């Protein structure tokens, strides 16, 4: 398949956009985006991005997160699946399982769940974002 320069530029532009869920905003439903997303409010559902998900301090996601990269400062009640780097900041509270390639946990972050890293993430294709989430048992079977 040959990709033109115009198609490459369009793809770069899509993944460079950032969607913001502001403080005081509650979204009841799933979010699926090709670009970056920053949550400063509350999401009652899953968040899926082909790029980066950021969950700000004091914000909440009650559902799964799936992305290429993620920075978490707030609370997540659900599983997290990251293709590359997941960073849990010192104010992060995670209640759920994690599947990621690389993980950084700052002193003070709270994580209650199971974690699978490295080889198990080879089959995690963020390009398929929004097509369903792995379970931790699926990830460990692929080792």
């Amino acid at each position: 398949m040959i990709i033109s320069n115009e198609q490459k530029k369009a793809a770069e532009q899509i993944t460079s956009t950032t969607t913001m869920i502001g403080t005081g905003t509650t979204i009841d439903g799933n979010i699926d985006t090709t670009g970056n997303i920053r949550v400063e409010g509350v999401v009652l559902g899953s968040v899926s991005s082909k790029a980066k998900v950021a969950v700000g301090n004091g914000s909440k996601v009650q559902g799964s997160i799936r992305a290429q990269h993620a920075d978490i400062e707030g609370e997540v009640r659900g599983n997290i699946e990251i293709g590359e780097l997941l960073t849990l900041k010192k104010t992060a509270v995670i209640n759920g399982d994690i599947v990621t390639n690389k993980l950084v946990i700052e002193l003070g972050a709270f994580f209650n769940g199971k974690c699978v890293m490295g080889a198990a993430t080879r089959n995690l294709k963020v390009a398929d974002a929004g097509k369903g989430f792995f379970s931790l048992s699926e990830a460990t079977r692929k080792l």
Side-chain angles (χ1 to χ4, degrees), residues 18-22 25-55 60-67 128-133:
T18 300
T19 301
M20 174 82 151
I21 308 299
T25 302
T26 299
I27 303 289
D28 189 355
N30 298 331
I31 298 172
D32 186 15
T33 182
T34 57
N36 299 324
I37 184 165
R38 180 161 187 86
V39 177
E40 291 292 338
V42 176
V43 176
L44 304 173
S46 298
V47 179
S48 179
S49 170
K50 292 182 182 178
K52 182 176 182 178
V53 173
V55 179
K60 294 181 182 178
V61 174
Q62 292 185 0
S64 298
I65 294 176
R66 183 178 182 138
D128 295 332
K131 294 185 180 177
F133 290 86

Side-chain angles (χ1 to χ4, degrees), residues 6-138:
E6 289 178 13
Q7 289 172 322
K8 286 180 186 177
K9 287 180 184 178
E12 288 173 8
Q13 190 175 29
I14 288 170
T15 57
S16 67
T17 58
T18 300
T19 301
M20 174 82 151
I21 308 299
T23 304
T25 302
T26 299
I27 303 289
D28 189 355
N30 298 331
I31 298 172
D32 186 15
T33 182
T34 57
N36 299 324
I37 184 165
R38 180 161 187 86
V39 177
E40 291 292 338
V42 176
V43 176
L44 304 173
S46 298
V47 179
S48 179
S49 170
K50 292 182 182 178
K52 182 176 182 178
V53 173
V55 179
N57 190 3
S59 60
K60 294 181 182 178
V61 174
Q62 292 185 0
S64 298
I65 294 176
R66 183 178 182 138
Q68 191 65 29
H69 301 276
D71 288 339
I72 311 293
E73 294 179 79
E75 181 179 351
V76 177
R77 291 185 173 273
N79 296 336
I80 301 174
E81 300 170 20
I82 305 301
E84 287 298 323
L85 175 64
L86 170 62
T87 303
L88 304 181
K89 303 290 188 174
K90 64 183 179 180
T91 55
V93 177
I94 310 299
N95 285 292
D97 297 334
I98 292 173
V99 177
T100 187
N101 191 30
K102 298 175 187 167
L103 177 64
V104 174
I105 302 176
E106 291 184 359
L107 183 63
F110 177 83
F111 167 51
N112 184 24
K114 298 175 185 172
C115 181
V116 176
M117 294 177 58
T121 64
R122 275 185 268 175
N123 294 318
L124 177 61
K125 292 186 172 58
V126 177
D128 295 332
K131 294 185 180 177
F133 290 86
F134 280 127
S135 68
L136 189 66
S137 59
E138 285 180 81

